[in-house]
Amino acid sequence: MNLVNSPIHLRTKISLLSLNPKPKTINKDTHKSRMNYNMIPKRVNSDAPNKLSTTTEFLLPDDSVEPAKTKPCLCGRRHFIEAAATATLTSFPIQPATATNSDSDYTALVNKYRPPKPDWYQKFYAWVLSSFTKSYEAEVARYKSQIFSNLKEKKANKILELGIGTGPNLSYYASDSDVHVVGIDPNPEMEKYARSAATSAGLPLSNFEFLHAVGEVIPLSDASVDAVVGTLVLCSVKDVDMTLKEVRRVLKPGGVYVFVEHVAAKDGTFLRFLQRVLDPLQQTVADGCHLSRETGENISKAGFSSVELDIAFLSNATFVNPHVYGIAYQ
């Protein structure tokens, strides 16, 4: 999750233009489940909510089910999950990138897509997001309310949030005691803020799990969540298309992907030129945030059955314009 107009928070009004993209036809050769059970790392009896625990357990709805036989896969994430499933099923490598133990396999995958930053930077950036985005969140609340209401209508009880950051979205969908949330973020310093946000939203901490992970290698099994949430996160992932493939992989049939992302301005405009010039600086000061990505097109072409996508302009947000937001259906 990235600060939209780093490092200064936004104090703008938002105007809305509606788009009517054509529904996209989902490919029938989507990922098949490599396992017949959901393998989700769950922290056990954590005494310190703001610290990562390395003791985990797996939720197995049916212990009698055996993994399905499939063709070989060279994907590092799938290989690791399957290897873990056929081993002891007692641990999973979800912890800070600085850890040095047997969990290094998954840590290496995370670091491949998100090289670890200095501790001081991660702490500082988490503090910045917690302290200087309140005005922005207040301004976009009406638009987030529109798209997040879909989760309650769909009765989405198991939700994955990409780049959960400090947890500003939890208040929109996590007030129901039946909701279970897995939030992933490459910055482990976000956890204490996200847990505080979960508590404020009314979500029992027993229903919330924070994982140090990245969107390109989501550590959840196929078709394991009802919904995926991602706001201001695709601007900073290393591989947008791979992340969207992972989103589709973990979504159950009929699931939804709810998103808000800032995208590149119209090609040929001075704003687009300015974004290209400032892009390297933005990536440095805003934790990898890119200004010139065509994220709306990536989502529309990702293979969802249909995509509802709208565009919002921030009237005084200088070079961070416009935003796309909407819902993609599995």
Side-chain angles (χ1 to χ4, degrees):
M1 183 174 183
N2 287 285
L3 189 60
V4 177
N5 194 11
S6 64
I8 303 174
H9 62 285
L10 302 175
R11 299 177 180 275
T12 60
K13 296 182 179 179
I14 296 178
S15 59
L16 175 67
L17 295 177
S18 297
L19 297 179
N20 295 304
K22 295 181 180 180
K24 303 296 178 181
T25 302
I26 189 170
N27 296 327
K28 299 302 182 181
D29 57 346
T30 52
H31 293 291
K32 301 294 184 181
S33 176
R34 299 286 177 173
M35 295 181 290
N36 292 327
Y37 53 80
N38 292 337
M39 186 177 69
I40 299 178
K42 180 182 179 183
R43 209 165 275 118
V44 180
N45 296 329
S46 176
D47 294 327
N50 64 331
K51 294 183 179 180
L52 291 169
S53 168
T54 57
T55 304
T56 58
E57 67 180 2
F58 289 93
L59 307 182
L60 304 180
D62 186 353
D63 288 338
S64 64
V65 179
E66 297 180 354
K69 294 182 179 180
T70 59
K71 295 180 180 179
C73 176
L74 300 179
C75 173
R77 171 191 47 73
R78 289 181 180 275
H79 174 75
F80 180 81
I81 291 178
E82 290 175 359
T86 57
T88 61
L89 292 179
T90 58
S91 63
F92 197 88
I94 300 298
Q95 55 188 22
T98 55
T100 54
N101 53 31
S102 60
D103 294 337
S104 60
D105 288 342
Y106 185 76
T107 297
L109 285 175
V110 171
N111 291 346
K112 173 183 177 181
Y113 294 101
R114 191 73 167 187
K117 302 289 182 67
D119 289 343
W120 71 264
Y121 181 88
Q122 296 191 123
K123 291 178 180 179
F124 174 74
Y125 200 74
W127 174 78
V128 168
L129 288 183
S130 176
S131 304
F132 297 107
T133 58
K134 292 180 174 62
S135 296
Y136 170 77
E137 291 299 334
E139 291 171 349
V140 300
R142 60 181 296 185
Y143 306 109
K144 284 189 174 184
S145 295
Q146 292 175 18
I147 57 177
F148 281 112
S149 63
N150 186 276
L151 300 184
K152 291 186 178 181
E153 294 174 3
K154 291 283 185 180
K155 296 182 178 180
N157 291 330
K158 191 170 186 181
I159 300 173
L160 164 68
E161 179 158 356
L162 301 177
I164 192 169
T166 57
N169 297 320
L170 291 169
S171 61
Y172 294 97
Y173 66 83
S175 59
D176 194 324
S177 60
D178 293 331
V179 172
H180 294 259
V181 179
V182 176
I184 69 173
D185 201 283
N187 184 350
E189 296 297 332
M190 298 291 186
E191 181 175 11
K192 62 181 180 181
Y193 297 102
R195 286 188 174 276
S196 177
T199 300
S200 298
L203 180 70
L205 288 181
S206 59
N207 291 8
F208 177 73
E209 180 70 7
F210 180 97
L211 304 178
H212 175 233
V214 291
E216 294 90 343
V217 281
I218 298 174
L220 301 180
S221 61
D222 297 6
S224 58
V225 298
D226 302 311
V228 175
V229 171
T231 64
L232 306 182
V233 62
L234 294 183
C235 60
S236 61
V237 298
K238 184 175 182 179
D239 191 321
V240 175
D241 291 331
M242 186 173 182
T243 300
L244 290 171
K245 286 181 181 178
E246 283 288 270
V247 168
R248 290 192 56 217
R249 180 185 66 80
V250 301
L251 274 176
K252 295 178 181 179
V256 294
Y257 168 46
V258 178
F259 59 89
V260 178
E261 299 289 347
H262 68 81
V263 298
K266 185 178 180 180
D267 199 18
T269 64
F270 175 74
L271 178 57
R272 181 62 176 269
F273 169 77
L274 185 62
Q275 289 174 337
R276 287 172 178 155
V277 171
L278 296 176
D279 208 1
L281 177 62
Q282 177 78 355
Q283 292 177 45
T284 300
V285 301
D287 202 16
C289 172
H290 292 71
L291 294 173
S292 301
R293 286 184 170 175
E294 302 282 1
T295 308
E297 293 186 10
N298 291 99
I299 296 173
S300 296
K301 297 176 181 178
F304 292 99
S305 62
S306 65
V307 177
E308 297 174 359
L309 185 150
D310 291 317
I311 188 167
F313 286 88
L314 307 178
S315 61
N316 296 306
T318 60
F319 50 86
V320 186
N321 264 311
H323 279 48
V324 294
Y325 68 97
I327 304 170
Y329 299 86
Q330 178 73 306

